Amino acid sequence: MKRLSAKAVAFTGVFAAFHATLYLISPPVLWRNWAIYLSPIEGIVLGPWAGFIAALIGSTIGRVLLPSPFWMFAITAEPLSVMSAGFLTRAKWQPVIALYAVMLAAYFISPFGQSLPLWPMLDTIAAVCLVYPAGKLSKNLFSEKVKLLPMSMVIVSFVTVAADGLTRVFLFIPAGLYSSFLGLSSADAAALFVAGGVDSFVEDAFVVLIALVVGVPILLALRKVLDLRKPLS
């Protein structure tokens, strides 16, 4: 990791504050909190390293201020998903596909994972197929030609939120935190996994919508105001 510029450090702090704030104001409706909707733009603007740091600081501060029994999942998944967005924005799709491959393999190899229904993982399977296209299309995120910017933003955002979900599933199922960390039985864990699968599809749709309606204008504004031509790290 290269040394961060003063601008990168400043915006790392800004995004960390936004990240924590979105967690704190999130209603307990869906599986995850509103910070996942910030993750794509966080990674695109900050890049993999500053983005990871911002998400780690923000998610940690949020759980210190408002504790959650699922804190371990968030402070791992959110930084890794932001880092994934940062790598894709720099056209480095290989680390992202490696992250997906390791966690998906662990899930499908685990006996518990094999016993669970496949459909809650369909969005993740779709996302892994989009990692390479996302890395190739990411050049449009900072291109002067903005015609392909919305499509690029949507694909990167979808892969980002799916990486967040996959990390949580990896910790929950093959890593066994459902039992060792949460004290759940296999039956309770399976029910929670299925319920989370329904929520994740809803969150996927929200992420795509927010990427188009909010993410694209924010990125265009930051590119203009800050003269951004590439991620900050």
Side-chain angles (χ1 to χ4, degrees):
M1 181 180 71
K2 295 181 180 179
R3 184 175 180 179
L4 298 180
S5 66
K7 183 189 291 186
V9 171
F11 274 88
T12 296
V14 170
F15 273 99
F18 277 125
H19 198 111
T21 301
L22 286 172
Y23 164 71
L24 293 172
I25 65 174
S26 299
V29 177
L30 294 172
W31 176 33
R32 290 170 287 184
N33 66 88
W34 286 357
I36 64 168
Y37 306 125
L38 177 71
S39 295
I41 195 73
E42 197 171 1
I44 290 168
V45 172
L46 295 178
W49 308 115
F52 180 90
I53 294 169
L56 180 61
I57 293 172
S59 60
T60 301
I61 290 175
R63 273 71 188 184
V64 169
L65 296 176
L66 183 61
S68 165
F70 301 102
W71 64 270
M72 176 65 75
F73 299 89
I75 67 170
T76 305
E78 291 170 14
L80 285 178
S81 68
V82 173
M83 176 181 272
S84 297
F87 276 129
L88 290 175
T89 305
R90 286 197 166 274
K92 295 181 179 180
W93 55 270
Q94 297 91 339
V96 183
I97 203 73
L99 181 71
Y100 268 87
V102 168
M103 292 193 289
L104 276 174
Y107 174 81
F108 285 113
I109 289 172
S110 69
F112 191 17
Q114 293 175 16
S115 71
L116 295 169
L118 179 63
W119 66 262
M121 299 296 292
L122 291 179
D123 58 341
T124 304
I125 294 170
V128 75
C129 296
L130 291 173
V131 170
Y132 179 75
K136 291 300 181 180
L137 287 170
S138 65
K139 62 184 178 182
N140 299 303
L141 295 171
F142 290 94
S143 172
E144 294 297 325
K145 299 177 181 179
V146 298
K147 183 177 181 180
L148 294 177
L149 174 58
M151 180 177 67
S152 303
M153 174 70 81
V154 164
I155 295 177
V156 170
S157 297
F158 178 69
V159 174
T160 300
V161 73
D164 178 286
L166 177 58
T167 304
R168 294 173 196 255
V169 168
F170 169 78
L171 294 173
F172 191 65
I173 302 296
L177 293 192
Y178 74 90
S179 175
S180 61
F181 190 73
L182 296 175
L184 297 175
S185 66
S186 296
D188 289 339
L192 191 58
F193 170 78
V194 170
V198 175
D199 284 353
S200 70
F201 292 145
V202 176
E203 290 164 343
D204 292 341
F206 278 136
V207 164
V208 169
L209 179 63
I210 291 171
L212 285 172
V213 176
V214 181
V216 170
I218 287 177
L219 181 57
L220 287 172
L222 290 175
R223 281 173 46 177
K224 183 177 181 180
V225 172
L226 302 176
D227 194 27
L228 281 179
R229 302 177 189 275
K230 61 181 181 179
L232 292 173
S233 69

